[in-house]
Amino acid sequence: MSIKQIILTIHHELPLGVDEETLSHFYEREIRPFIRLFYARQEWSFTHYLCGETLQWLKAYHNEAISAMNELVSRKQMEILGGAYYASFIPLLSPQDRTAQMVEMALALREYFGKKPHGAYLNGDVWEPSLVHSLKTGDLHYTFVDRCRFNASGILSPGELFLTEEMGKTLWVFPFERLNLDAEVDAEVQRILDLPCDGDGLLSLVSDGRDVVALERILNALQAKGVQFTLPSKILTRYKTLSKPIKRVYLPASTGVVFDTKSDFYRNELFNQFSIRLFHAKSIHTALSVRQIKRDKSRKHIAIQSVLRAQNHQFYWHRRYGGFLNAQAREKAMHHLLQADQIVREAEAINYGLVRADFDMDGLDEVLYQSALSNAFVHARGAVLFAWDFFPSGISLLNVFAKDHLAGYSRAFHDFFYPQVFSYRDWNEPIAEPFHAEFAQSVYELVELKMGGNQAKYALEKNIDETLLLLEKEFRFHASYLEVRYVLSNHALGHVSRKFGVELNFSLDASMKCFSKHGELAPDSYEEISYIDMISEEKRIKISISFSHPITLWRKTLTTAFSGREEHQGVAILILLPVELPPASEQRLDIVMRLELFEKDSNLLSAKEIN
């Protein structure tokens, strides 16, 4: 059957991790012309999703847009949609956070438009069956699900309203097709008209409205073909008066198609990057910690709001504004989580010291150290420090992302064994071989841990240079500093001749300064280094690193290519120690790292005092 009616859904999510110029461009090129278009075309009814942050920003900087949209609502041309206030992937949230996001959104829409939402928009187009119960718990009665989910259920020509169910809760679902505003207009119009729509000939179209000119041309062409625009409320009213039963359908979860991949389940694609898995685990860990606040309801509410802010779906992928590749967006997300962590400490809802837990849900236990001033977490994979949060500066120091890192992810205390001829150019390119990272990619054994204390020791034994090398790595945690002791032992008859490298990746800005006894250091190679001070005015932190004996130090900036530009990610340093180990011998290296709050106007002098 041909298409007779269209439900049009437009969604606007405020871009994160961008500057004011980009936000202004977003308004002038997208939201403002969108409002003008639909204000003038009263026959084009539509549903609209504006995430809470978009509403807040419009209220603060462009209140005229809110006023115009109120008029669209009052003349029953626009129906507002609920969902996640902070534009989250709702299926990734706990039941409590799902409800909190939807309740927050409903309250905001009542404030801005004087109405409660009845339907939900699902950010990122992701669907899972558990959403039925969650949406109904949030007092939302319908949503839009990609037509391909209906196809996967055996319904090849979905052209009407359906009903789905879970745990005794029912939800109305409209099959939708996403508009491609980048396509040639005539071709896109024909593609839409050719979609099979049995039953009522009803089709839902979803778009982010980024190209209002293309959107107008497509809608004009559809209208010229006799297609009418309608609203969910009208369809639901008509269906409720019918005496025949509504078709019930059970829809499988979204595939990787939502990310333009062929993965059978979107989560497999979403968590393909180890760094994203760690970020998601941090979100879950902080949310659970916040729920432990019992007595102070005011603090608990503020902490929950901080957790919700960090759940924006843009942090998880890199479609338009960089997402997880955008260092500013990652910093913003971690800032919210650290705010929540601090409130947990203020409410005395945390036990300090070391605990052992499967933090990232990979079947391996991590070691987690928590104090009044910091978090420091160690992963079994590589015995790597993968999180180091310093609350006085409000920074997550290891919030770094580097594609194709030799260890699989970029954090601190990655262990490498390079050949003696390995050069700075080899590291900077990089052209290292995978066998250099055998230790960095391996799972270390946790051989010593005192729960509630401050000491954890790891060990790993591997064949290298035709001998057996034992690497022991001991962490001693303190509130504002960390001691790491390495012991390398040759337990066989061969001879080890390598460069032992310890790599540290910091989420510092490109303008940070590095000092040693040589004075200020530029990104390059330096010999005979016994300590360095790394100072970032922007991040308000000073990192002092000392070594038990002089080492070679290499330094470089980290960038990731995205949309034709290089995105700054952080700063990496490589600590190099020549290793010559005959049989039954050992070498040691002690590293101490201290963190201090850096005051912009006073502490530059202290950098000079170290010379």
Short mmCIF file of all heavy atoms in Angstrom, two decimals, residues 484-522:
data_model
loop_
_atom_site.label_atom_id
_atom_site.label_comp_id
_atom_site.label_asym_id
_atom_site.label_seq_id
_atom_site.Cartn_x
_atom_site.Cartn_y
_atom_site.Cartn_z
N VAL A 484 55.48 3.71 42.74
CA VAL A 484 55.46 2.48 41.94
C VAL A 484 56.88 1.93 41.91
O VAL A 484 57.82 2.62 41.50
CB VAL A 484 54.96 2.73 40.51
CG1 VAL A 484 54.91 1.42 39.73
CG2 VAL A 484 53.58 3.38 40.53
N ARG A 485 57.03 0.69 42.35
CA ARG A 485 58.35 0.05 42.39
C ARG A 485 58.39 -1.11 41.40
O ARG A 485 57.57 -2.02 41.46
CB ARG A 485 58.66 -0.45 43.79
CG ARG A 485 59.92 -1.32 43.89
CD ARG A 485 60.32 -1.56 45.33
NE ARG A 485 60.74 -0.31 45.96
CZ ARG A 485 61.09 -0.21 47.25
NH1 ARG A 485 61.05 -1.28 48.02
NH2 ARG A 485 61.47 0.94 47.75
N TYR A 486 59.35 -1.05 40.49
CA TYR A 486 59.57 -2.11 39.53
C TYR A 486 60.79 -2.94 39.94
O TYR A 486 61.83 -2.37 40.31
CB TYR A 486 59.84 -1.55 38.13
CG TYR A 486 58.61 -1.06 37.40
CD1 TYR A 486 58.24 0.28 37.44
CD2 TYR A 486 57.84 -1.92 36.63
CE1 TYR A 486 57.14 0.74 36.75
CE2 TYR A 486 56.74 -1.48 35.92
CZ TYR A 486 56.39 -0.14 35.99
OH TYR A 486 55.30 0.31 35.30
N VAL A 487 60.65 -4.26 39.83
CA VAL A 487 61.79 -5.17 39.99
C VAL A 487 61.78 -6.12 38.80
O VAL A 487 60.80 -6.85 38.58
CB VAL A 487 61.72 -5.97 41.31
CG1 VAL A 487 62.93 -6.90 41.42
CG2 VAL A 487 61.65 -5.04 42.51
N LEU A 488 62.86 -6.10 38.01
CA LEU A 488 63.01 -6.97 36.84
C LEU A 488 64.05 -8.03 37.19
O LEU A 488 65.19 -7.70 37.53
CB LEU A 488 63.46 -6.18 35.63
CG LEU A 488 62.67 -4.91 35.29
CD1 LEU A 488 63.28 -4.19 34.10
CD2 LEU A 488 61.22 -5.24 35.02
N SER A 489 63.66 -9.32 37.07
CA SER A 489 64.55 -10.41 37.48
C SER A 489 64.69 -11.43 36.35
O SER A 489 63.69 -11.82 35.74
CB SER A 489 64.01 -11.12 38.72
OG SER A 489 63.73 -10.20 39.76
N ASN A 490 65.93 -11.86 36.10
CA ASN A 490 66.20 -12.89 35.11
C ASN A 490 66.25 -14.24 35.82
O ASN A 490 67.16 -14.49 36.62
CB ASN A 490 67.52 -12.60 34.40
CG ASN A 490 67.80 -13.57 33.26
OD1 ASN A 490 67.11 -14.57 33.10
ND2 ASN A 490 68.82 -13.26 32.46
N HIS A 491 65.30 -15.12 35.53
CA HIS A 491 65.18 -16.39 36.24
C HIS A 491 65.64 -17.58 35.41
O HIS A 491 65.29 -18.72 35.72
CB HIS A 491 63.74 -16.61 36.70
CG HIS A 491 63.38 -15.77 37.88
ND1 HIS A 491 62.30 -16.04 38.69
CD2 HIS A 491 63.95 -14.66 38.42
CE1 HIS A 491 62.21 -15.14 39.66
NE2 HIS A 491 63.21 -14.29 39.51
N ALA A 492 66.40 -17.34 34.34
CA ALA A 492 66.89 -18.45 33.52
C ALA A 492 68.32 -18.16 33.08
O ALA A 492 68.99 -17.27 33.62
CB ALA A 492 65.96 -18.67 32.33
N LEU A 493 68.80 -18.89 32.07
CA LEU A 493 70.22 -18.85 31.73
C LEU A 493 70.55 -17.86 30.62
O LEU A 493 71.72 -17.63 30.32
CB LEU A 493 70.68 -20.26 31.31
CG LEU A 493 70.53 -21.33 32.39
CD1 LEU A 493 70.99 -22.68 31.84
CD2 LEU A 493 71.33 -20.97 33.64
N GLY A 494 69.54 -17.27 29.98
CA GLY A 494 69.80 -16.32 28.90
C GLY A 494 70.18 -14.95 29.42
O GLY A 494 70.24 -14.71 30.65
N HIS A 495 70.41 -14.02 28.49
CA HIS A 495 70.80 -12.65 28.84
C HIS A 495 69.79 -11.68 28.24
O HIS A 495 69.51 -11.73 27.05
CB HIS A 495 72.21 -12.35 28.30
CG HIS A 495 72.73 -11.01 28.73
ND1 HIS A 495 73.66 -10.86 29.72
CD2 HIS A 495 72.43 -9.75 28.31
CE1 HIS A 495 73.94 -9.58 29.89
NE2 HIS A 495 73.20 -8.88 29.04
N VAL A 496 69.23 -10.80 29.07
CA VAL A 496 68.26 -9.81 28.61
C VAL A 496 69.00 -8.51 28.33
O VAL A 496 69.68 -7.97 29.21
CB VAL A 496 67.16 -9.56 29.66
CG1 VAL A 496 66.19 -8.48 29.17
CG2 VAL A 496 66.40 -10.85 29.95
N SER A 497 68.84 -8.02 27.09
CA SER A 497 69.43 -6.73 26.71
C SER A 497 68.35 -5.93 25.99
O SER A 497 68.11 -6.12 24.79
CB SER A 497 70.65 -6.94 25.82
OG SER A 497 71.20 -5.69 25.43
N ARG A 498 67.68 -5.05 26.72
CA ARG A 498 66.55 -4.30 26.17
C ARG A 498 66.52 -2.88 26.73
O ARG A 498 67.27 -2.53 27.65
CB ARG A 498 65.22 -4.99 26.54
CG ARG A 498 64.95 -6.32 25.89
CD ARG A 498 64.72 -6.21 24.40
NE ARG A 498 64.36 -7.47 23.81
CZ ARG A 498 63.13 -7.80 23.39
NH1 ARG A 498 62.17 -6.91 23.52
NH2 ARG A 498 62.88 -8.97 22.86
N LYS A 499 65.62 -2.07 26.14
CA LYS A 499 65.21 -0.82 26.76
C LYS A 499 63.86 -1.07 27.42
O LYS A 499 62.90 -1.42 26.75
CB LYS A 499 65.07 0.29 25.71
CG LYS A 499 66.37 0.91 25.23
CD LYS A 499 66.09 2.02 24.24
CE LYS A 499 67.37 2.69 23.76
NZ LYS A 499 67.08 3.74 22.73
N PHE A 500 63.83 -0.92 28.73
CA PHE A 500 62.57 -1.06 29.45
C PHE A 500 61.86 0.29 29.45
O PHE A 500 62.42 1.31 29.86
CB PHE A 500 62.82 -1.52 30.88
CG PHE A 500 61.58 -1.58 31.73
CD1 PHE A 500 60.48 -2.33 31.34
CD2 PHE A 500 61.50 -0.88 32.93
CE1 PHE A 500 59.33 -2.38 32.12
CE2 PHE A 500 60.36 -0.92 33.72
CZ PHE A 500 59.27 -1.68 33.31
N GLY A 501 60.62 0.30 28.95
CA GLY A 501 59.87 1.55 28.85
C GLY A 501 58.61 1.54 29.69
O GLY A 501 57.87 0.55 29.72
N VAL A 502 58.37 2.63 30.40
CA VAL A 502 57.13 2.83 31.16
C VAL A 502 56.45 4.06 30.58
O VAL A 502 56.99 5.16 30.63
CB VAL A 502 57.42 3.05 32.67
CG1 VAL A 502 56.11 3.28 33.42
CG2 VAL A 502 58.18 1.85 33.24
N GLU A 503 55.26 3.85 30.02
CA GLU A 503 54.56 4.96 29.35
C GLU A 503 53.44 5.50 30.22
O GLU A 503 52.66 4.74 30.80
CB GLU A 503 53.99 4.50 28.01
CG GLU A 503 53.35 5.64 27.22
CD GLU A 503 52.87 5.21 25.84
OE1 GLU A 503 53.71 4.79 25.03
OE2 GLU A 503 51.65 5.27 25.60
N LEU A 504 53.37 6.82 30.30
CA LEU A 504 52.33 7.53 31.05
C LEU A 504 51.60 8.46 30.09
O LEU A 504 52.24 9.24 29.38
CB LEU A 504 52.93 8.35 32.19
CG LEU A 504 53.97 7.66 33.10
CD1 LEU A 504 54.57 8.66 34.05
CD2 LEU A 504 53.32 6.51 33.86
N ASN A 505 50.27 8.38 30.06
CA ASN A 505 49.46 9.24 29.21
C ASN A 505 48.56 10.11 30.08
O ASN A 505 47.74 9.59 30.84
CB ASN A 505 48.60 8.40 28.27
CG ASN A 505 49.43 7.56 27.31
OD1 ASN A 505 49.85 8.03 26.27
ND2 ASN A 505 49.69 6.31 27.69
N PHE A 506 48.72 11.42 29.98
CA PHE A 506 47.98 12.36 30.82
C PHE A 506 47.03 13.20 29.97
O PHE A 506 47.38 13.64 28.88
CB PHE A 506 48.94 13.29 31.56
CG PHE A 506 49.88 12.60 32.49
CD1 PHE A 506 51.25 12.62 32.26
CD2 PHE A 506 49.42 11.91 33.60
CE1 PHE A 506 52.14 11.98 33.11
CE2 PHE A 506 50.29 11.26 34.46
CZ PHE A 506 51.66 11.29 34.21
N SER A 507 45.86 13.49 30.53
CA SER A 507 44.88 14.34 29.84
C SER A 507 45.19 15.81 30.14
O SER A 507 44.40 16.52 30.77
CB SER A 507 43.46 13.99 30.27
OG SER A 507 43.34 13.96 31.69
N LEU A 508 46.34 16.25 29.68
CA LEU A 508 46.79 17.62 29.88
C LEU A 508 46.70 18.39 28.56
O LEU A 508 46.76 17.81 27.48
CB LEU A 508 48.23 17.65 30.39
CG LEU A 508 48.48 16.99 31.75
CD1 LEU A 508 49.95 17.00 32.09
CD2 LEU A 508 47.66 17.68 32.84
N ASP A 509 46.58 19.70 28.68
CA ASP A 509 46.45 20.56 27.51
C ASP A 509 47.78 20.71 26.79
O ASP A 509 48.86 20.47 27.36
CB ASP A 509 45.92 21.92 27.92
CG ASP A 509 46.74 22.51 29.07
OD1 ASP A 509 46.59 22.02 30.20
OD2 ASP A 509 47.53 23.43 28.82
N ALA A 510 47.72 21.15 25.54
CA ALA A 510 48.93 21.30 24.72
C ALA A 510 49.85 22.39 25.25
O ALA A 510 51.05 22.39 24.96
CB ALA A 510 48.54 21.58 23.27
N SER A 511 49.30 23.32 26.03
CA SER A 511 50.11 24.44 26.54
C SER A 511 50.79 24.14 27.87
O SER A 511 51.44 25.01 28.44
CB SER A 511 49.24 25.69 26.68
OG SER A 511 48.19 25.46 27.62
N MET A 512 50.65 22.91 28.38
CA MET A 512 51.29 22.57 29.65
C MET A 512 52.82 22.71 29.52
O MET A 512 53.39 22.62 28.44
CB MET A 512 50.92 21.16 30.10
CG MET A 512 51.27 20.04 29.12
SD MET A 512 52.99 19.49 29.08
CE MET A 512 53.20 18.92 30.74
N LYS A 513 53.49 22.96 30.65
CA LYS A 513 54.94 23.16 30.66
C LYS A 513 55.59 22.05 31.47
O LYS A 513 55.03 21.55 32.45
CB LYS A 513 55.28 24.52 31.24
CG LYS A 513 54.72 25.70 30.43
CD LYS A 513 55.12 27.04 31.03
CE LYS A 513 54.50 28.19 30.26
NZ LYS A 513 54.97 28.25 28.85
N CYS A 514 56.79 21.70 31.03
CA CYS A 514 57.52 20.62 31.68
C CYS A 514 58.91 21.12 32.06
O CYS A 514 59.62 21.70 31.22
CB CYS A 514 57.61 19.43 30.71
SG CYS A 514 58.24 17.93 31.45
N PHE A 515 59.30 20.90 33.32
CA PHE A 515 60.58 21.41 33.83
C PHE A 515 61.39 20.26 34.43
O PHE A 515 60.84 19.30 34.96
CB PHE A 515 60.36 22.47 34.92
CG PHE A 515 59.60 23.68 34.46
CD1 PHE A 515 58.21 23.72 34.51
CD2 PHE A 515 60.26 24.80 33.98
CE1 PHE A 515 57.50 24.83 34.10
CE2 PHE A 515 59.57 25.93 33.57
CZ PHE A 515 58.19 25.94 33.63
N SER A 516 62.70 20.41 34.36
CA SER A 516 63.64 19.53 35.07
C SER A 516 64.86 20.36 35.44
O SER A 516 64.86 21.59 35.30
CB SER A 516 64.04 18.34 34.19
OG SER A 516 65.00 18.72 33.23
N LYS A 517 65.94 19.70 35.82
CA LYS A 517 67.16 20.45 36.13
C LYS A 517 67.73 21.13 34.89
O LYS A 517 68.54 22.05 34.99
CB LYS A 517 68.21 19.52 36.73
CG LYS A 517 68.71 18.44 35.77
CD LYS A 517 69.73 17.55 36.44
CE LYS A 517 70.25 16.49 35.48
NZ LYS A 517 71.24 15.59 36.12
N HIS A 518 67.29 20.67 33.70
CA HIS A 518 67.73 21.29 32.45
C HIS A 518 66.93 22.55 32.14
O HIS A 518 67.19 23.20 31.13
CB HIS A 518 67.58 20.30 31.30
CG HIS A 518 68.29 19.00 31.50
ND1 HIS A 518 69.67 18.90 31.48
CD2 HIS A 518 67.82 17.75 31.74
CE1 HIS A 518 70.02 17.64 31.69
NE2 HIS A 518 68.91 16.92 31.86
N GLY A 519 65.94 22.89 32.96
CA GLY A 519 65.05 24.00 32.66
C GLY A 519 63.77 23.49 32.02
O GLY A 519 63.38 22.33 32.21
N GLU A 520 63.11 24.35 31.25
CA GLU A 520 61.87 23.94 30.59
C GLU A 520 62.19 22.99 29.44
O GLU A 520 63.08 23.22 28.63
CB GLU A 520 61.10 25.15 30.07
CG GLU A 520 59.75 24.77 29.48
CD GLU A 520 58.91 25.97 29.08
OE1 GLU A 520 59.27 27.10 29.48
OE2 GLU A 520 57.91 25.78 28.37
N LEU A 521 61.43 21.88 29.37
CA LEU A 521 61.66 20.84 28.37
C LEU A 521 60.65 20.96 27.23
O LEU A 521 59.45 21.10 27.47
CB LEU A 521 61.53 19.46 28.99
CG LEU A 521 62.43 19.14 30.19
CD1 LEU A 521 62.16 17.73 30.69
CD2 LEU A 521 63.90 19.31 29.84
N ALA A 522 61.12 20.91 26.01
CA ALA A 522 60.24 20.84 24.84
C ALA A 522 59.95 19.36 24.55
O ALA A 522 60.67 18.47 25.03
CB ALA A 522 60.91 21.50 23.64
#
